[in-house]
Amino acid sequence: MKVLLSNTVSRERFNCIPDLGLGYLLALARQKGHEAHFVDCLLDRLDVAGYLTEVEKVQPDLVGLKVYSIDIAFAAEMIAALRERLPTAVIVIGGPHPSTEHPDVLWKQLPELDYAFAGEAEAGFPALLGYLDEGAGRLEGIPGLLWRDEEGTVQKNPPCLVEELHELPFPAWDLIDPRRYPFGYSFMTYRYPAAPMVLTRGCPHQCTYCGSHFITGRHVRERSIDNVIEEIQYLRRDFGVISLDICDENMALDYGYATEFCERLLETDTNIHWNLPYGVRLDCLDADLVQLMERAGCYALSVGIESGSDRILEQIKKRLTVAQIREQMAIVKQHSRMMVQGYFMMGFPTETKEEIEETIDLACSLPLDIAVFHPLRVTPGTEIYADLEAKGLVGHEVDYAGMGNHYFVRSYCDVDDDTMKVLYRKAYRRFYARPGVLFNLLSRVRTRAQLNVLINAAARLTTGSIRDACSWKENAAT
């Protein structure tokens, strides 16, 4: 079969990186003897017409799209056009949106869809190809598959997480060639070519707002260090990669594993630079590990702080206190020169204006190089969504319109929308209007991609818009 995978057209994201998830699926398709193709709509700045032109060049038997919730309107337009142009092609989607959306709602949004995958698709996607190409197996037995039975009822198969991550083939790096990408995961990436990499999957923590467990689960799985080093050496040798964006949910969760990774980097003299843009829990770090990480090539990391209120931190089950946050941040900065980016959230249910001000105060008092403020966006299936739904504050179906263009679709706390917008702009102005912080950022600009990030961040200071939110944090859950 000819298999073509792609991300969706988007007006919300201008930065893009090689897509690891699609890279793994492309490699698995090849492993099963299929002809694999890839179109990156973000990198090539394609609109729907441009995407269709690329698809028609390939004439695929199966078309797959990775869908984020903010791009659901484009996904619907693309799928409708695909059905018209290629009526016999099988259309499949995966990614964060089908992993969190209610199955019945998903087919209302995308009525021309054939199949979808929720969660990791490495086990199910090859099985679906076998079913379509050879009639092997049954739909009921394909892990993570969403499909419609003869009565049109949407069925959702149980997922299957890959336990032995090192048994997966490397992503099809020739199709998602890092040398084509002038961007990194975040502002912190400034050495190129850069490639994303995942060492571990899963997070056991219970944060009420987070939906990552719908994709990677709560059970933490680790690649063998030998497998990781082999891939790094392959990327260095064949693609000239000199920097890694390690996109684990929390690479330092297993202290021994993180330590072994750093020690092996030093022993093998890989000469690779790396950062942790997705985030690491502060309570997983100590002075010894921070120093070892820096010696092994880590030059930047992100930390999820979320709130400056102990009450809110307890409510969202962050399992951190403000005192711990201050103590751990001091350790990171006293024992390393790594750039540190902090993530904060605003507008949790029951949160007051005063508590949001506490979050802004905390951000400005910590030794952070970068601060990113996100208003709460609720994801179906999360604990916080269930609580809001039970109170009648959200419905069964989420309206995703405008989520990318206007950050504050609505407030979920007692602070009204207009005041939330003012607080959002205030957070950015207070943090970045300080001469020392601004000079520090400007002094770190090495690439045009970093400059683009700063330009879009400036728009937040003046308008509160997040037209390009993913310039700061690519692959958010919605």
Side-chain angles (χ1 to χ4, degrees):
M1 294 176 66
K2 286 186 180 181
V3 176
L4 186 149
L5 303 184
S6 176
N7 45 28
T8 53
V9 172
S10 179
R11 288 179 183 165
E12 312 304 339
R13 294 175 282 146
F14 77 93
N15 271 13
C16 60
I17 60 175
D19 194 298
L20 276 182
L22 295 180
Y24 277 114
L25 297 184
L26 290 163
L28 287 164
R30 277 180 171 171
Q31 193 177 68
K32 296 296 183 180
H34 302 284
E35 183 180 323
H37 300 265
F38 177 63
V39 174
D40 195 323
C41 293
L42 297 180
L43 178 65
D44 296 328
R45 299 292 190 269
L46 298 178
D47 57 14
V48 175
Y51 166 72
L52 291 174
T53 297
E54 296 302 313
V55 171
E56 289 180 330
K57 291 178 183 177
V58 176
Q59 292 294 307
D61 302 300
L62 180 144
V63 181
L65 291 174
K66 183 174 185 176
V67 181
Y68 289 85
S69 297
I70 59 173
D71 298 321
I72 188 62
F74 273 116
E77 184 179 349
M78 294 168 75
I79 290 172
L82 284 168
R83 181 59 68 216
E84 181 179 343
R85 298 284 188 92
L86 298 172
T88 63
V90 176
I91 302 175
V92 187
I93 69 167
H97 185 71
S99 297
T100 59
E101 185 58 275
H102 302 294
D104 58 322
V105 175
L106 184 65
W107 255 268
K108 288 182 182 179
Q109 297 165 338
L110 308 172
E112 303 291 337
L113 184 64
D114 291 312
Y115 303 104
F117 280 101
E120 294 180 0
E122 286 96 346
F125 186 64
L128 178 62
L129 294 180
Y131 171 83
L132 296 171
D133 190 38
E134 304 168 358
R138 303 174 60 198
L139 290 177
E140 294 90 336
I142 298 177
L145 186 70
L146 282 73
W147 53 286
R148 287 183 293 185
D149 60 23
E150 293 179 355
E151 285 75 37
T153 303
V154 178
Q155 304 293 332
K156 184 175 182 179
N157 296 347
C160 177
L161 300 177
V162 178
E163 288 295 328
E164 305 297 335
L165 296 177
H166 46 269
E167 293 183 357
L168 291 172
F170 293 153
W173 286 110
D174 59 312
L175 297 181
I176 55 171
D177 192 334
R179 293 169 296 189
R180 293 191 62 218
Y181 291 78
F183 306 110
Y185 190 100
S186 74
F187 175 86
M188 297 188 299
T189 305
Y190 66 91
R191 294 178 170 96
Y192 296 94
M197 183 176 286
V198 169
L199 281 62
T200 70
R201 296 185 188 180
C203 178
H205 293 281
Q206 307 286 325
C207 300
T208 62
Y209 55 85
C210 184
S212 67
H213 60 281
F214 292 118
I215 301 175
T216 57
R218 297 200 187 277
H219 170 55
V220 178
R221 295 148 293 139
E222 302 168 344
R223 295 171 61 183
S224 71
I225 298 298
D226 286 343
N227 181 253
V228 173
I229 296 299
E230 182 183 354
E231 185 175 14
I232 293 173
Q233 292 172 334
Y234 168 60
L235 287 168
R236 288 277 293 165
R237 181 184 67 247
D238 288 27
F239 299 95
V241 168
I242 61 173
S243 181
L244 298 176
D245 294 331
I246 296 181
C247 302
D248 296 31
E249 286 135 310
N250 188 2
M251 191 274 282
L253 186 65
D254 182 339
Y255 191 94
Y257 183 84
T259 299
E260 183 183 359
F261 170 65
C262 293
E263 290 175 344
R264 285 292 300 278
L265 286 178
L266 292 169
E267 291 170 5
T268 54
D269 194 24
T270 55
N271 194 28
I272 196 81
H273 303 281
W274 52 286
N275 73 96
L276 299 166
Y278 199 78
V280 59
R281 283 186 63 94
L282 278 168
D283 55 358
C284 292
L285 303 174
D286 63 17
D288 290 339
L289 181 57
V290 165
Q291 292 172 334
L292 178 60
M293 287 167 58
E294 187 171 35
R295 289 202 310 273
C298 185
Y299 60 89
L301 57 85
S302 296
V303 293
I305 297 170
E306 319 313 349
S307 177
S309 162
D310 279 325
R311 186 185 75 86
I312 293 297
L313 289 170
E314 182 177 6
Q315 177 182 299
I316 64 176
K317 301 182 180 179
K318 186 67 181 177
R319 296 182 180 175
L320 278 177
T321 66
V322 172
Q324 286 176 302
I325 290 167
R326 292 188 184 281
E327 180 182 356
Q328 292 300 109
M329 276 298 307
I331 289 173
V332 174
K333 280 299 188 178
Q334 287 170 8
H335 295 278
S336 80
R337 295 172 296 172
M338 291 188 290
M339 184 190 307
V340 181
Q341 174 174 260
Y343 290 127
F344 299 86
M345 299 180 71
M346 306 162 68
F348 290 106
T350 78
E351 189 172 26
T352 65
K353 180 177 181 293
E354 290 72 25
E355 287 171 321
I356 295 174
E357 295 275 11
E358 289 176 7
T359 296
I360 299 172
D361 290 341
L362 178 63
C364 293
S365 68
L366 293 173
L368 293 168
D369 300 285
I370 302 171
V372 182
F373 299 91
H374 290 287
L376 175 67
R377 290 199 226 167
V378 295
T379 300
T382 58
E383 182 177 337
I384 207 166
Y385 186 94
D387 289 343
L388 289 169
E389 188 174 21
K391 295 173 182 176
L393 298 176
V394 297
H396 185 63
E397 299 184 28
V398 178
D399 181 7
Y400 298 101
M403 264 199 181
N405 288 317
H406 306 289
Y407 217 93
F408 288 100
V409 177
R410 60 167 295 185
S411 172
Y412 296 99
C413 63
D414 292 336
V415 181
D416 63 80
D417 290 357
D418 288 340
T419 303
M420 287 290 288
K421 292 176 183 178
V422 171
L423 289 169
Y424 168 69
R425 289 192 292 270
K426 179 180 180 179
Y428 275 98
R429 285 173 180 156
R430 275 200 58 196
F431 187 88
Y432 289 103
R434 295 174 294 167
V437 172
L438 190 58
F439 177 78
N440 177 42
L441 272 188
L442 292 174
S443 68
R444 294 179 182 274
V445 173
R446 300 288 187 275
T447 68
R448 183 175 179 179
Q450 288 179 302
L451 184 60
N452 284 343
V453 170
L454 292 184
I455 290 171
N456 282 274
R460 299 180 182 194
L461 290 173
T462 56
T463 67
S465 169
I466 58 135
R467 184 183 65 82
D468 296 309
C470 291
S471 64
W472 288 93
K473 191 172 183 181
E474 191 66 24
N475 299 336
T478 56

